[in-house]
Amino acid sequence: MTSPIQASAQAALDVSLPAAPAEVRRYVSDPQRLLRSGFPPERIEQLGPDRFRLKVRPLVWMGLAIEPTAELQIGADDQGRAWAQLIAYELKGHPWLVKHLKIDFRAQLRTLDAMQAGRTPMQGWAEASACFPTPPFLAWMAEPVLSGAARTILESFLWILRDRLSRSLESDFRRWQAAAVQIEA
């Protein structure tokens, strides 16, 4: 009997916003903004004040496709820290993967106190893991190859997440600022 294939990946999150730390902390205190800035609205469903369902694009490897729908709990505090954790998920796709694949995800982002070049930096991390027995239809493949492939898929998911956050967070922040100015006016 072979041991389960286990793979994990981590990504550093480094972004900055063009405002003072206090304003960035106010923005981050609504953590769903971070989720909504990283994913299209049609893929997000709010289930409660801190719970969201997120439909992830299909992940494909060697013709095997899986489409996760993740239920996330997200939170924030007044210190400018935000976090997300996978609390449940549903998988669609190849029946064997749906039955045997176990996944996990966590992320955290914190606002730093010192501005740099007129911007407030935010730092954090995201990590994802997967565990599954060796698929019978891939038993000919070495375990290191399977775990390496799983790690590559997890890494690419985290890279996409980091890239989306980096690209869209500032534009969402500027919309939030503009809306706040209109409310105050």
Side-chain angles (χ1 to χ4, degrees):
M1 174 109 184
T2 61
S3 59
I5 306 297
Q6 297 185 4
S8 62
Q10 298 82 29
L13 303 175
D14 292 302
V15 294
S16 64
L17 293 173
E23 188 173 11
V24 173
R25 282 193 292 276
R26 280 194 305 279
Y27 172 74
V28 172
S29 70
D30 181 7
Q32 66 176 297
R33 298 213 63 94
L34 300 175
L35 180 66
R36 294 187 189 285
S37 72
F39 293 94
E42 63 273 7
R43 292 181 172 253
I44 301 169
E45 176 186 357
Q46 188 161 1
L47 303 174
D50 64 346
R51 291 176 65 154
F52 294 83
R53 183 172 293 131
L54 173 64
K55 292 182 180 179
V56 179
R57 287 189 186 273
L59 305 170
V60 181
W61 179 70
M62 289 186 60
L64 300 173
I66 189 107
E67 186 176 347
T69 298
E71 189 173 323
L72 298 170
Q73 183 170 21
I74 60 174
D77 62 23
D78 59 2
Q79 300 301 309
R81 290 183 298 243
W83 55 88
Q85 180 174 347
L86 179 68
I87 56 175
Y89 59 89
E90 176 185 339
L91 302 173
K92 293 180 183 174
H94 191 280
W96 189 94
L97 289 173
V98 168
K99 182 177 180 182
H100 296 286
L101 181 64
K102 307 294 182 232
I103 58 175
D104 196 19
F105 171 80
R106 296 181 311 146
Q108 186 173 343
L109 189 64
R110 67 183 173 92
T111 305
L112 302 182
D113 291 328
M115 291 183 74
Q116 297 173 359
R119 299 177 70 84
T120 296
M122 300 170 73
Q123 294 179 338
W125 51 265
E127 61 185 21
S129 63
C131 180
F132 54 94
T134 300
F137 48 87
L138 294 176
W140 54 272
M141 201 174 275
E143 284 186 28
V145 173
L146 290 172
S147 62
R151 185 175 49 258
T152 299
I153 291 168
L154 295 171
E155 286 172 347
S156 66
F157 168 74
L158 294 178
W159 291 334
I160 290 167
L161 176 66
R162 182 179 62 193
D163 185 53
R164 282 184 184 166
L165 189 63
S166 296
R167 283 185 293 127
S168 60
L169 191 62
E170 186 166 338
S171 60
D172 185 69
F173 177 73
R174 290 186 187 277
R175 283 191 297 275
W176 175 82
Q177 279 182 314
V181 167
Q182 288 178 352
I183 289 172
E184 292 173 6

